[in-house]
Amino acid sequence: MSRKPIIAGNWKMNLLQSEAKSVFEGVKNFVKDYTAVELPTIVIAPVFTSISAVQSVECTCGCGGKKIAIAGQNCHWESSGAFTGEISVEMLKDAGCDYVIIGHSERRQYFSETDEMINKKAKAILRGGLIPIVCCGETLEQREAGVTDSWIAGQIKNALDGISSEDIAKSVIAYEPIWAIGTGKTCDADEANRVIAMIRNVVKEIAGNEAGDAIRILYGGSVKPSTIEEQMSKSDIDGALIGGASLKAESLNEIIEKTMKLSLVH
Ligand code: PGA
C-alpha cells in the first residue's frame, strides 16, 4: 500500500496578503524544479482574504497533479444563505481550494465546533468535490487520565458518520495532540505513530480495510525541519499539518525537501 505523503501548512490567522504572497512565492520557487509526482502533496491554508493572492500551482509535466494546492481553514455546511461571517464549500471551490481543514482544536475550543458540525462540514466538503482534512486530538488532561484512544476514536467515528467508504478513503485525518500545538513540544514519534495506527484501525472498522489502508493520516503539533525525518520514517504517519514552521518559506521548503528524500528512499 503506498500513500503519497502530504505536507500541509496551516497559516491560521497570520500573514497579510503581501506577506502571504511572499511566503507562497518562496515555496513556489523551490517546487519549480520538481514534478508533482516527485513532490509530496503540498497544501497551503491561508486566511480567506489571501486565497486570491496565493493561487494553486498546476504541474506542467502532464501528470495532472498540482504542485501546490490551497485549503480553506474552515467552512459552513450550507451552500449559501443568512450565515454572517461564514463561507461555503462552493465559495472555497470557486476561489481555487481543493481541501478544507475542519475540526481544528482551536475551532473546537474557541468557536464551539462540535463533532456533529464537523460531520456536516465533512459531508458538505465531499459533496462539493473537495477533500476534508479532519483534525482530532486530546488535551493533556485526557492524555494523563489515559483516555486518549477512546476520545480520539469517538471524534473520528462522529466526524465520519454516514460517509461512504469511497469518500472516507480519499479524505485526510490530522492527529494533533492539543498539548503539542504551538508549544514546541512534539509528541514522541513512536507514540504519534501508535495513535495514528489506532485511528487507521478505527477507519477500517467503519469503512473497511481498503479505505483504512488508503486514507492519509497526518501528525500535527510543533512539527519543524528537525522533527520531520523521524516522524515521516514511521509506518503510519503519512505527513504533517504544520502551523508555526509553515509561516516561513525556508522552513516549509526544508520540511518538503526532507519528506521528498525519505519518500524517494522508501
Ligand atoms: P504548530 O500548529 O505546528 O504551530 O504546532 C499545528 C496546527 O495547529 O495545525
Side-chain angles (χ1 to χ4, degrees):
M1 182 74 235
S2 79
R3 295 182 293 264
K4 189 174 172 69
I6 305 186
I7 295 301
N10 173 14
W11 285 355
K12 308 192 181 184
M13 197 172 74
N14 292 297
L15 306 179
L16 298 175
Q17 288 191 47
S18 58
E19 297 165 331
K21 212 170 165 176
S22 124
V23 177
F24 193 84
E25 288 297 328
V27 180
K28 202 168 143 183
N29 276 337
F30 172 75
V31 301
K32 74 175 180 338
D33 298 330
Y34 304 97
T35 64
V37 173
E38 291 168 306
L39 291 163
T41 302
I42 302 171
V43 182
I44 289 183
V47 295
F48 299 137
T49 50
S50 289
I51 290 177
S52 61
V54 306
Q55 274 307 321
S56 47
V57 179
E58 314 279 338
C59 199
T60 50
C61 81
C63 71
K66 275 191 177 151
K67 291 190 185 184
I68 307 177
I70 306 297
Q73 293 181 16
N74 180 33
C75 68
H76 196 276
W77 53 87
E78 295 290 345
S79 51
S80 62
F83 300 100
T84 302
E86 291 292 321
I87 192 158
S88 72
V89 173
E90 283 76 358
M91 289 161 187
L92 290 173
K93 191 174 176 178
D94 188 45
C97 293
D98 288 301
Y99 294 79
V100 189
I101 298 173
I102 50 172
H104 192 281
S105 62
E106 287 149 17
R107 295 220 47 94
R108 293 179 191 255
Q109 187 183 347
Y110 306 130
F111 305 98
S112 310
E113 206 162 280
T114 63
D115 281 352
E116 196 192 347
M117 290 156 80
I118 293 157
N119 178 245
K120 285 199 222 170
K121 291 179 186 204
K123 287 176 176 160
I125 293 164
L126 288 159
R127 226 178 13 250
L130 273 64
I131 298 173
I133 301 178
V134 183
C135 303
C136 61
E138 81 288 359
T139 62
L140 189 57
E141 292 70 32
Q142 287 168 325
R143 172 156 285 270
E144 284 170 350
V147 297
T148 298
D149 291 15
S150 57
W151 173 255
I152 290 169
Q155 284 186 319
I156 295 302
K157 283 181 188 159
N158 291 337
L160 302 181
D161 187 45
I163 299 178
S164 71
S165 300
E166 202 187 346
D167 276 347
I168 289 178
K170 57 184 174 219
S171 300
V172 177
I173 293 174
Y175 167 55
E176 300 202 302
I178 297 170
W179 48 271
I181 296 177
T183 58
K185 282 188 219 154
T186 43
C187 179
D188 172 75
D190 284 320
E191 173 58 11
N193 193 52
R194 186 196 68 75
V195 176
I196 288 176
M198 184 278 298
I199 296 171
R200 198 176 299 289
N201 281 332
V202 171
V203 174
K204 286 184 180 172
E205 249 175 62
I206 55 182
N209 285 348
E210 215 175 296
D213 282 332
I215 193 169
R216 292 183 287 178
I217 312 181
L218 319 180
Y219 167 76
S222 296
V223 173
K224 308 180 258 303
S226 59
T227 66
I228 191 71
E229 282 165 303
E230 195 189 359
Q231 287 152 344
M232 286 306 301
S233 68
K234 302 295 172 194
S235 59
D236 279 273
I237 303 182
D238 301 323
L241 181 57
I242 306 150
S246 73
L247 293 170
K248 291 212 159 61
E250 304 74 57
S251 51
L252 189 54
N253 290 344
E254 203 178 329
I255 289 171
I256 295 168
E257 188 171 29
K258 286 182 168 167
T259 302
M260 197 164 38
K261 281 196 180 137
L262 272 176
S263 54
L264 284 178
V265 174
H266 284 249

